[in-house]
């Protein structure tokens, strides 16, 4: 890398020779997805017109293909005391992000892999986890999936012990 950098500097004749060394960590993931892959921000939580305060901020970044990759990027809402907020939607609750940070020395990372299942699929996944891996069900989901407004059913599980 150093030799390549020196070669580029000799060819580019750039007045900005003192650029810092590139680092891959601590970069803006959403900007990288938009610029590098052509993704778009297609949703957010809470909605920009929300009448409530959430302990987290999330944006949904998607590929152009409506059936393609969807990445939900969430962070703590540091503008407020997010440790005192409890979101209606458990998967947006700040305690989930705090739990992740506490077990990963405060570092960012990927914490969730989600799947969309057909009718009855969520209950079937719950039954299997209850029978085969009950310790991987968070306390909030020990009694079953969470149903929101009769429309959406959500089940969270831990990926490993």
């Amino acid at each position: 890398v150093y030799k390549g950098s020196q070669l580029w500097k000799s060819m580019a004749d750039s007045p900005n020779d003192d650029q810092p060394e590139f680092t891959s960590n601590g970069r803006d993931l959403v900007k990288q997805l938009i610029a590098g892959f052509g993704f778009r921000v297609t949703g957010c939580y809470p909605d920009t017109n929300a009448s409530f305060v959430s302990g987290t901020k999330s944006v949904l970044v998607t590929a152009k293909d409506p059936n393609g990759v969807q990445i939900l990027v969430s962070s703590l809402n540091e503008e407020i005391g997010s440790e005192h907020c409890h979101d209606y939607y458990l998967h947006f609750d700040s305690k989930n992000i705090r739990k992740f940070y506490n077990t990963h020395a405060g570092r960012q990372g990927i914490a969730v892999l989600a799947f969309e299942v057909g009718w009855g699929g969520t209950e079937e996944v719950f039954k299997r986890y209850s029978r085969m891996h009950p310790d991987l069900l968070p306390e909030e989901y020990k009694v079953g999936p969470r149903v929101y407004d009769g429309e959406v059913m959500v089940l969270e599980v831990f990926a490993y012990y």
Side-chain angles (χ1 to χ4, degrees):
V1 173
Y2 177 77
K3 287 182 182 179
S5 174
Q6 294 304 312
L7 177 62
W8 173 251
K9 285 179 185 179
S10 71
M11 292 172 22
D13 192 31
S14 172
N16 216 0
D17 287 339
D18 297 330
Q19 296 220 349
E21 185 175 324
F22 175 79
T23 178
S24 61
N25 62 333
R27 301 185 67 85
D28 187 318
L29 176 63
V30 174
K31 285 182 183 177
Q32 289 181 8
L33 290 170
I34 291 171
F37 297 110
F39 285 22
R40 304 288 183 263
V41 174
T42 56
C44 64
Y45 179 85
D47 186 286
T48 54
N49 298 318
S51 60
F52 63 93
V53 177
S54 173
T56 61
K57 291 182 178 182
S58 298
V59 292
L60 179 63
V61 184
T62 62
K64 291 179 184 178
D65 178 358
N67 295 316
V69 174
Q70 299 182 22
I71 300 172
L72 186 70
V73 180
S74 298
S75 66
L76 292 173
N77 184 354
E78 297 296 348
E79 296 172 3
I80 57 147
S82 59
E83 63 274 355
H84 302 296
C85 288
H86 299 287
D87 283 272
Y88 172 67
Y89 299 105
L90 290 179
H91 50 283
F92 286 118
D93 198 299
S94 61
K95 72 177 183 166
N96 289 321
I97 294 178
R98 291 187 187 289
K99 183 187 297 183
F100 181 87
Y101 281 152
N102 289 340
T103 57
H104 291 87
R107 291 189 292 272
Q108 66 183 3
I110 297 173
V112 177
L113 180 60
F115 300 94
E116 183 176 348
V117 296
W119 188 85
T122 307
E123 292 98 337
E124 186 60 34
V125 171
F126 171 71
K127 288 176 189 174
R128 287 183 186 173
Y129 267 89
S130 295
R131 188 176 66 248
M132 300 171 72
H133 302 287
D135 292 338
L136 293 179
L137 288 165
E139 286 302 317
E140 301 88 353
Y141 293 93
K142 295 273 187 199
V143 295
R146 180 91 177 230
V147 179
Y148 294 105
D149 299 327
E151 293 181 23
V152 176
M153 185 175 289
V154 175
L155 175 67
E156 290 186 48
V157 299
F158 294 108
Y160 51 86
Y161 290 94

